[in-house]
Amino acid sequence: MSKLHEAKHHVNVTLEMDELDVTSVESKATYEEIKEYVLEKHGLRVTNLYIAQVKRKCGIIERENYNKSKSEVAKQTQCPEDKEMAIRDALEYFGMV
């Protein structure tokens, strides 16, 4: 591709965007969308940490966190059951579970 100007042959491709299926990335909700849904439907405020914990329990793979604690005994608050159920509802609503 770096020598594109030197190419002797070119291929023209026409692609209709409406024919493409939605990719898995496009079907996933962002953390902000999940927070908004939970707040509107359940009246609860949830954190990114709680969403990540519930996603992990549901088997949704997260990318590796490079901002890990240096302490071996780092403590994290665990998501309360009512908020976990609300987040699960949001994940189901967005088709992620």
Side-chain angles (χ1 to χ4, degrees):
M1 297 301 271
S2 64
K3 297 183 180 186
L4 189 60
H5 64 282
E6 296 175 12
K8 295 184 174 143
H9 303 285
H10 297 279
V11 176
N12 294 323
V13 177
T14 304
L15 183 64
E16 297 295 327
M17 297 306 286
D18 59 339
E19 294 176 5
L20 296 176
D21 290 335
V22 175
T23 64
S24 63
V25 172
E26 293 169 331
S27 67
K28 292 182 181 177
T30 64
Y31 278 65
E32 291 306 314
E33 291 172 327
I34 293 170
K35 286 180 183 181
E36 288 174 16
Y37 178 86
V38 170
L39 182 60
E40 288 176 17
K41 184 157 186 205
H42 299 279
L44 298 170
R45 293 189 185 276
V46 294
T47 64
N48 290 348
L49 173 62
Y50 289 167
I51 296 170
Q53 288 174 350
V54 174
K55 287 174 78 175
R56 198 173 308 120
K57 282 184 179 179
C58 293
I60 299 173
I61 308 238
E62 297 278 311
R63 62 184 171 95
E64 186 177 348
N65 180 6
Y66 296 103
N67 207 9
K68 294 179 181 174
S69 174
K70 292 171 183 39
S71 170
E72 289 185 20
V73 288
K75 295 181 182 178
Q76 290 183 348
T77 58
Q78 295 300 309
C79 184
E81 191 170 334
D82 60 336
K83 291 185 178 185
E84 181 177 338
M85 297 308 291
I87 294 169
R88 284 182 186 263
D89 177 47
L91 295 177
E92 289 173 10
Y93 174 79
F94 289 110
M96 298 173 68
V97 181

